Amino acid sequence: MFYQSPILISCRDDGLIVATSVFEESVQAVSHSRSHAKKLLERRMRKLLECSCMSLERLKSVVLEKRSFPAQPMHIQRHRRYPAGPPMTVPVRYVKIVDNWDKLFGILPDFGIHFYCPVEADFDAMLQETVRSMLASISPEEMVRCWPPNTTELDWLRVKIKAKSRGSRGPNIETLASVAEPLGKTRRPLLSAEIRESELRQIRENLLYSNCLLVGETGVGKTTLMHIATRDVFQRLRMEARQAKERTIPNSKFWLTSASRLIAGMRYLGQWQERLERMISELSELQGVLIVENLRDLISIGGQSPTESLGAFLVPYLRTGQLRMACEATPSQVEYCQRTLPGLIDQLAIVRIEPLQPKAETDLVRYVLSQTWEVPIANVDMELSTAIQRLCRQFLTSRPAPSASIAFVEQWLGKLRRRFKTSTATDGPKGLRGDASCLTTDNAIEEFSRWTGLPQSLLRDQELLERETVVRALSKEVIGQPEACNGAASVVMRLKSSMNDVARPFGCLLYCGPTGVGKTQLAKSLAKYLFGADGQKTRLVRLDMSEYQSGAAGQRFLNDANGEPAKWIQQIRNQPLQVLLFDEIEKASPEVFDILLSLLDEGRLTDRYGNLTSFRSSVVLMTSNLGSTQQSLSGFQGASAVDYALSVRKALRPEFINRLDAIVPFFPLQPESISAMTRKELNEVREREGVKRLGLRLIFSDALVQHIASIGFSSTLGARPLQRTIENVVMGRLARWMVESLPSPNSSVQMDWDGSKEKVVLSFNGNTVQ
């Protein structure tokens, strides 16, 4: 096997001959004769090629040229530049290369610079700009080092590579093995024989005779079915080979890879195309099938557009039958591919994978429980698998069946196995010997509550849940807003009774009212009540919509500065069981409202690449100050007469309002509510670390409560200044006393307000502290 590579032959002033590879400037050879230098370089390049440390391009033309460019040598010291002599002209040699795919690029061998030129007419301009940027701050030492020899010419070097002897090891799969791994020998994934039999039959037939594309939502089991089908076909081929008494039995026919793995490590233009050609040749010799994990990556990696991508490169090979391929995709990704690269879809036979029906999902859960825990399937309670299936379908609506139920079963049994291994280290896990006593519905519900954060009162059908109980729980955090708490309780009651629409979010509410009356606090309280059973931080994703009212707001709403999904979308993808709060929704641009229409109506968003984000397991809340006038903000006496729903309908589009479950009004706070809220905030001071460590019993007088209530509320900001007032008036005084006097543990401290002196009076064990 021979390779031809362009090299540069340079003659130095001292008479030495230097032979240099055009593509790898560091690969050089020096001698007193031209022939000897080329021979040494040939040896070096042969070793690099044989150990795959170097690759050679297929080229159509190579031209060496030299031009002079103006330069000003500079000394750079402490980020300051000083001229190091008069301006001068510097000779620069460069190589123009046209590869086998008619791509033009240039190489500056003395500077180690490679650049690609998409349009031939722009080559001179790109060359000048590249050289100008390099010479802008070049030092004298660098100029001497990069000064080209007086005599340089282009030559070709023919390198002979010895083909590796394969012996009896079968065909060469060196390139294929470097970018993919064989399938077929793996352990059969957990799936009972009668489930998905029709889909498996279609996949097996396509794997044997054509190309295949599995289309289904993320989590329906496409990867599992692909692994099962490849394993079945592999076993069938081996059995047929044995029956025919063939000497060579296939060891690997199906190879799993990804688009990023196919292109990994490719630096120069044309490298990944050459790698794919070698891989296709080796795969064709094996009569194998390439299994690609994701269709979208095939058409988004490899070039600046889908027509220059990996998928576009593979289409001719698929059309002629030189390549056999199977792939996975979601319906939205298929739509994206049909818009951008329809030729690829035309070469793939589509097999639809639909979510499992409830009965089939229940049977699958029971089968997985018995196989994973190694107990007879008859020992697994049917009610347990039915309960798991019901919980996942009711609360994890963002994930199609059986994604959520199988994921829960695997993590639950994994936790049980670790627990048994810890408690029975000598005898081994009891569950692996056929004991199913721990696989009960109660245990599953407790674990599901810890896994999702949902309270057990929502998960147990036999446990009653009264509406007043929910309202009281929310009212402890949100004081003086009974109607708003009642509206939020409606979401909880629909979720408990399974009467929510599974094709939409759990709830879509718009909170309207003056600022500082508890709209955001109710969102936090609802998140804590619904998803706080796991004891983790409150699951609340909050966005200030005033940030999305200028130009390109829709783009910034969905993507970050790098083009990746926005942080709030990534949070929902990682944990869909959350409360999503859009603050001051009326300030968002019309473009953002168009995006929210799909989110509220279908509970999902799809990006330009076809990636889906589901919000069907989330609660979507919005706040607005529409209808709040100066009069409604300033009045603490009586309920406001403002019709918030009417103000919202006048300001927002009808199609947006029709997608809301309710418009929940918040009214100005009453005097008794203000006092109750103040006392609640003061009581929370007792939970601070310094107070709890000393065991201090804090007592706040009514006079202090009324004083803080009077100055902690604003006619324009509502209750927002309350916490700041407590910090300034109460906590400052208390903290100074604790530091200066070092009180004894478990002491009683009373705090009062002296109106005549206008200061906080502190009493310690009955004695007034000055």
Side-chain angles (χ1 to χ4, degrees):
M1 185 184 302
F2 290 91
Y3 285 100
Q4 279 193 325
S5 175
I7 62 173
L8 297 177
I9 303 296
S10 304
C11 181
R12 300 191 344 181
D13 294 338
D14 55 5
L16 291 176
I17 305 298
V18 181
T20 307
S21 171
V22 169
F23 295 110
E24 297 287 346
E25 297 82 5
S26 60
V27 181
Q28 295 181 342
V30 181
S31 181
H32 290 284
S33 67
R34 178 191 181 103
S35 60
H36 190 237
K38 290 182 63 175
K39 188 174 182 179
L40 293 176
L41 184 63
E42 179 187 355
R43 294 178 183 174
R44 175 80 186 281
M45 293 180 66
R46 183 187 302 116
K47 291 181 180 180
L48 294 176
L49 287 169
E50 288 178 348
C51 68
S52 301
C53 296
M54 181 180 179
S55 61
L56 296 178
E57 312 293 333
R58 297 185 178 183
L59 309 175
K60 285 188 176 181
S61 67
V62 181
V63 179
L64 172 65
E65 296 182 359
K66 182 186 289 189
R67 290 175 59 181
S68 297
F69 295 88
Q72 171 63 66
M74 292 284 183
H75 283 304
I76 302 177
Q77 186 176 9
R78 295 182 180 179
H79 307 289
R80 304 186 69 176
R81 301 173 12 168
Y82 305 93
M88 58 189 307
T89 57
V90 178
V92 176
R93 56 178 181 174
Y94 60 93
V95 182
K96 292 177 63 175
I97 295 179
V98 178
D99 65 11
N100 201 39
W101 294 272
D102 294 322
K103 305 289 187 181
L104 173 64
F105 58 98
I107 297 177
L108 303 174
D110 298 311
F111 296 91
I113 299 296
H114 298 227
F115 65 89
Y116 167 62
C117 180
V119 181
E120 185 176 2
D122 297 337
F123 184 86
D124 287 342
M126 292 186 64
L127 176 65
Q128 292 180 18
E129 180 62 25
T130 302
V131 175
R132 187 195 63 80
S133 62
M134 290 189 306
L135 299 180
S137 58
I138 189 169
S139 66
E141 294 83 1
E142 293 173 337
M143 184 176 293
V144 172
R145 187 168 57 253
C146 298
W147 198 280
N150 294 331
T151 304
T152 304
E153 61 180 79
L154 182 69
D155 199 352
W156 288 85
L157 187 67
R158 192 178 186 189
V159 184
K160 183 178 180 181
I161 305 297
K162 294 182 180 180
K164 296 182 179 180
S165 176
R166 295 194 293 262
S168 60
R169 291 181 296 174
N172 177 30
I173 56 172
E174 181 180 356
T175 303
L176 180 61
S178 66
V179 297
E181 57 186 19
L183 288 179
K185 298 182 180 180
T186 58
R187 180 182 178 184
R188 181 185 178 95
L190 293 177
L191 186 66
S192 57
E194 63 275 7
I195 299 177
R196 301 283 198 189
E197 183 54 39
S198 60
E199 291 94 337
L200 282 172
R201 188 183 306 111
Q202 296 180 59
I203 299 172
R204 286 193 291 261
E205 291 175 356
N206 287 313
L207 289 176
L208 282 170
Y209 307 112
S210 65
N211 303 307
C212 179
L213 176 64
L214 274 60
V215 180
E217 298 290 352
T218 303
V220 296
K222 301 188 297 295
T223 303
T224 299
L225 293 177
M226 183 71 77
H227 282 245
I228 293 175
T230 55
R231 180 180 181 276
D232 293 345
V233 173
F234 176 76
Q235 290 181 347
R236 173 181 168 181
L237 292 175
R238 288 183 65 93
M239 185 178 298
E240 292 176 353
R242 289 194 182 97
Q243 292 175 353
K245 298 182 179 180
E246 296 181 1
R247 293 184 177 180
T248 58
I249 300 177
N251 290 323
S252 54
K253 181 179 179 66
F254 303 101
W255 293 80
L256 177 66
T257 187
S258 62
S260 58
R261 188 172 178 181
L262 289 174
I263 205 172
M266 299 290 96
R267 290 180 53 193
Y268 303 112
L269 293 172
Q271 277 190 301
W272 67 260
Q273 289 92 337
E274 185 177 353
R275 172 190 277 181
L276 260 61
E277 285 185 341
R278 294 197 301 267
M279 180 204 71
I280 292 171
S281 176
E282 296 173 2
L283 198 63
S284 177
E285 188 177 354
L286 287 173
Q287 296 183 352
V289 180
L290 188 67
I291 311 294
V292 183
E293 295 175 343
N294 192 301
L295 176 69
R296 179 191 66 84
D297 291 344
L298 275 182
I299 56 181
S300 61
I301 294 178
Q304 296 181 351
S305 65
T307 56
E308 300 176 350
S309 63
L310 294 171
F313 180 83
L314 297 178
V315 167
Y317 298 95
L318 293 171
R319 187 179 293 120
T320 59
Q322 294 176 265
L323 173 66
R324 295 264 312 286
M325 187 175 73
C327 196
E328 302 175 13
T330 63
S332 55
Q333 291 174 355
V334 172
E335 293 177 3
Y336 171 69
C337 187
Q338 287 174 335
R339 294 193 309 268
T340 57
L341 194 63
L344 180 59
I345 292 292
D346 294 341
Q347 306 305 318
L348 304 173
I350 294 179
V351 179
R352 300 283 178 179
I353 311 296
E354 301 295 337
L356 284 179
Q357 296 299 315
K359 177 63 169 60
E361 185 181 8
T362 301
D363 294 341
L364 178 60
V365 169
R366 193 180 185 199
Y367 178 80
V368 172
L369 284 169
S370 65
Q371 295 295 312
T372 306
W373 202 242
E374 300 181 7
V375 297
I377 194 169
N379 293 356
V380 179
D381 188 0
M382 190 66 183
E383 293 184 0
L384 170 62
S385 54
T386 303
I388 293 175
Q389 178 269 334
R390 178 191 64 81
L391 290 173
C392 293
R393 282 187 176 261
Q394 181 177 353
F395 298 103
L396 299 177
T397 54
S398 61
R399 304 174 67 173
S403 171
S405 56
I406 299 304
F408 168 70
V409 167
E410 289 178 346
Q411 72 86 27
W412 178 38
L413 296 187
K415 185 178 291 186
L416 285 177
R417 180 173 285 106
R418 291 191 296 271
R419 187 183 307 165
F420 273 85
K421 285 182 178 180
T422 303
S423 60
T424 58
T426 56
D427 299 332
K430 181 172 61 174
L432 299 181
R433 296 201 302 270
D435 188 354
S437 59
C438 58
L439 303 182
T440 64
T441 303
D442 286 340
N443 291 343
I445 290 177
E446 292 176 1
E447 182 59 32
F448 193 85
S449 176
R450 287 189 290 267
W451 192 48
T452 61
L454 293 162
Q456 295 189 34
S457 58
L458 291 182
L459 305 181
R460 299 183 183 275
D461 286 340
Q462 68 276 15
E463 185 174 335
L464 299 178
L465 180 63
E466 297 182 356
R467 187 187 192 92
E468 291 302 321
T469 303
V470 181
V471 173
R472 281 197 303 271
L474 297 176
S475 298
K476 291 180 180 179
E477 303 288 336
V478 183
I479 298 174
Q481 301 294 346
E483 294 187 27
C485 294
N486 198 51
S490 299
V491 176
V492 180
M493 302 308 292
R494 282 201 305 270
L495 199 56
K496 168 68 175 178
S497 60
S498 301
M499 296 301 293
N500 57 299
D501 187 353
V502 295
R504 298 184 66 236
F506 287 159
C508 301
L509 305 178
L510 175 59
Y511 292 166
C512 292
T515 183
V517 293
K519 299 190 294 295
T520 303
Q521 181 59 44
L522 182 55
K524 294 179 181 178
S525 300
L526 184 60
K528 180 180 179 180
Y529 184 87
L530 277 179
F531 309 123
D534 57 352
Q536 297 180 3
K537 186 179 180 181
T538 301
R539 295 181 184 174
L540 177 69
V541 179
R542 180 180 178 182
L543 281 83
D544 186 355
M545 303 308 290
S546 62
E547 299 178 2
Y548 305 101
Q549 55 184 340
S550 58
Q555 180 69 20
R556 291 187 292 106
F557 184 62
L558 294 176
N559 303 104
D560 60 15
N562 299 322
E564 298 296 324
K567 182 179 179 180
W568 68 275
I569 292 181
Q570 296 181 22
Q571 290 178 286
I572 295 296
R573 287 181 180 178
N574 296 334
Q575 176 52 267
L577 290 166
Q578 302 220 45
V579 170
L580 181 59
L581 177 62
F582 298 117
D583 219 354
E584 298 184 288
I585 188 65
E586 75 278 4
K587 296 182 180 179
S589 70
E591 189 178 359
V592 174
F593 273 98
D594 291 338
I595 297 172
L596 291 178
L597 290 178
S598 175
L599 191 154
L600 297 177
D601 188 32
E602 301 177 355
R604 56 177 59 190
L605 288 177
T606 305
D607 63 14
R608 57 178 178 171
Y609 298 116
N611 294 323
L612 183 70
T613 305
S614 178
F615 299 85
R616 293 178 177 177
S617 297
S618 306
V619 178
V620 180
L621 303 179
M622 290 160 279
T623 68
S624 173
N625 294 329
L626 289 171
S628 300
T629 62
Q630 185 62 33
Q631 289 77 14
S632 67
L633 287 171
S634 60
F636 290 148
Q637 304 294 329
S640 173
V642 176
D643 189 346
Y644 293 106
L646 179 61
S647 301
V648 170
R649 291 189 176 93
K650 289 181 179 179
L652 303 182
R653 292 151 53 183
E655 61 269 26
F656 181 80
I657 298 175
N658 290 337
R659 286 169 169 80
L660 300 175
D661 295 335
I663 299 175
V664 181
F666 281 69
F667 298 110
L669 297 171
Q670 303 299 307
E672 58 273 15
S673 299
I674 297 173
S675 299
M677 188 177 298
T678 303
R679 189 167 290 279
K680 170 182 171 295
E681 294 292 335
L682 288 172
N683 289 336
E684 291 180 357
V685 173
R686 300 189 177 99
E687 300 301 320
R688 301 202 179 184
E689 179 63 24
V691 176
K692 292 176 65 176
R693 186 173 63 249
L694 292 175
L696 299 179
R697 295 187 296 275
L698 300 180
I699 303 172
F700 304 102
S701 67
D702 293 338
L704 179 62
V705 172
Q706 295 301 322
H707 173 70
I708 295 176
S710 63
I711 65 174
F713 283 79
S714 168
S715 59
T716 56
L717 300 178
R720 292 190 184 276
L722 178 60
Q723 290 184 347
R724 184 170 64 251
T725 303
I726 292 176
E727 293 294 329
N728 294 335
V729 176
V730 177
M731 296 308 301
R733 179 73 176 91
L734 181 61
R736 187 181 64 185
W737 170 76
M738 291 174 62
V739 172
E740 293 177 348
S741 61
L742 297 177
S744 57
N746 302 320
S747 302
S748 177
V749 181
Q750 183 172 357
M751 303 189 73
D752 195 1
W753 175 255
D754 189 342
S756 60
K757 297 181 180 180
E758 294 187 353
K759 69 175 184 178
V760 175
V761 178
L762 190 147
S763 300
F764 175 64
N765 290 334
N767 300 319
T768 302
V769 178
Q770 298 298 326

